[in-house]
Amino acid sequence: LETRYVDAAGNAYRQESFAGRLPGSQARVAFLSVAIVARRPATVRLAVSGGGALVRRVAAGATTTVYAAWRQNGRCAGSPDA
């Protein structure tokens, strides 16, 4: 799934997500990337109902991509930029 949007501050976001299984595991994993072009300071919060959350702050003028993966149990499986 790919989505693009711009918030009220003019920050642009491009999100891509998919789900699958890791080799040797039966649990499903959701993968997500969010690319941000921040015209003003932005905060990206990725949260799941299981209580896990990943928060990244992006400075005005910066461009960054946040990567995350969540296991089927709702816990954050990791973020390579953490």
Side-chain angles (χ1 to χ4, degrees), residues 24-59:
S25 173
Q26 291 301 314
R28 285 173 280 193
V29 180
F31 298 92
L32 173 74
S33 70
V34 180
I36 305 105
V37 177
R39 297 184 79 191
R40 296 188 177 241
T43 300
V44 176
R45 179 178 170 83
L46 308 175
V48 295
S49 59
L54 176 66
V55 178
R56 293 288 181 265
R57 289 176 176 70
V58 184

Side-chain angles (χ1 to χ4, degrees), residues 5 8 12 14 18 32 35 39 44 47 51 55 75-76 81-82:
Y5 47 96
R14 183 178 50 82
F18 66 94
L32 173 74
R39 297 184 79 191
V44 176
V55 178
R75 295 185 187 264
C76 185
D81 63 344

Side-chain angles (χ1 to χ4, degrees), residues 4-32:
R4 295 174 190 258
Y5 47 96
V6 176
D7 67 15
N11 299 318
Y13 303 84
R14 183 178 50 82
Q15 175 182 321
E16 184 175 358
S17 59
F18 66 94
R21 297 183 194 276
L22 295 176
S25 173
Q26 291 301 314
R28 285 173 280 193
V29 180
F31 298 92
L32 173 74

